[in-house]
């Protein structure tokens, strides 16, 4: 359904609230972000934005929300203080 891992891996990450899914009004998949890590460090494992979301900065928006989540939960992340456009994501 998602990426190259077994469906059970995505199910486990969703149960742990570490898989965020973006859908449109028709509930069609537009992208997802899977993350994890060991306290207090946050890591992005997979990020995906479908071709039809090109130009909407979906990947950048998902990473921005993850950064807010990390800051709220006092986690560190590798993108702290970096401009996402320099990561090829914005």
């Amino acid at each position: 359904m998602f990426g190259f891992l077994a469906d059970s891996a995505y199910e486990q990450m969703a149960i742990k609230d570490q898989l965020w899914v973006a859908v449109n009004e028709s509930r069609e998949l537009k992208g997802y972000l899977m993350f994890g890590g060991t306290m207090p460090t946050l890591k992005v494992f997979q990020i995906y934005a479908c071709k039809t979301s090109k130009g909407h900065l979906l990947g950048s928006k998902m990473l921005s929300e993850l950064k807010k989540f990390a800051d709220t939960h006092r986690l560190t992340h590798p993108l702290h203080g970096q401009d996402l456009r320099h990561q090829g994501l914005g």
Side-chain angles (χ1 to χ4, degrees):
M1 179 176 170
F2 289 105
F4 51 85
L5 299 175
D7 288 346
S8 60
Y10 296 98
E11 289 172 13
Q12 290 173 10
M13 296 304 281
I15 289 168
K16 296 190 295 185
D17 292 327
Q18 294 177 327
L19 176 64
W20 295 353
V21 178
V23 296
N24 64 9
E25 299 83 22
S26 301
R27 306 205 35 91
E28 298 169 322
L29 177 67
K30 291 298 165 185
Y32 68 87
L33 173 68
M34 186 167 66
F35 64 94
T38 306
M39 289 295 282
T41 303
L42 191 63
K43 295 181 181 180
V44 174
F45 296 137
Q46 290 184 16
I47 187 167
Y48 166 77
C50 73
K51 291 180 182 179
T52 60
S53 65
K54 186 175 182 175
H56 297 280
L57 303 175
L58 181 59
S60 180
K61 290 175 183 176
M62 288 190 290
L63 288 174
S64 179
E65 289 301 314
L66 185 61
K67 286 170 58 175
K68 290 179 194 175
F69 174 84
D71 292 341
T72 300
H73 292 84
R74 298 178 189 256
L75 302 170
T76 58
H77 50 85
L79 298 174
H80 185 75
Q82 295 183 17
D83 185 338
L84 296 177
R85 290 173 292 189
H86 295 246
Q87 302 296 319
L89 301 168

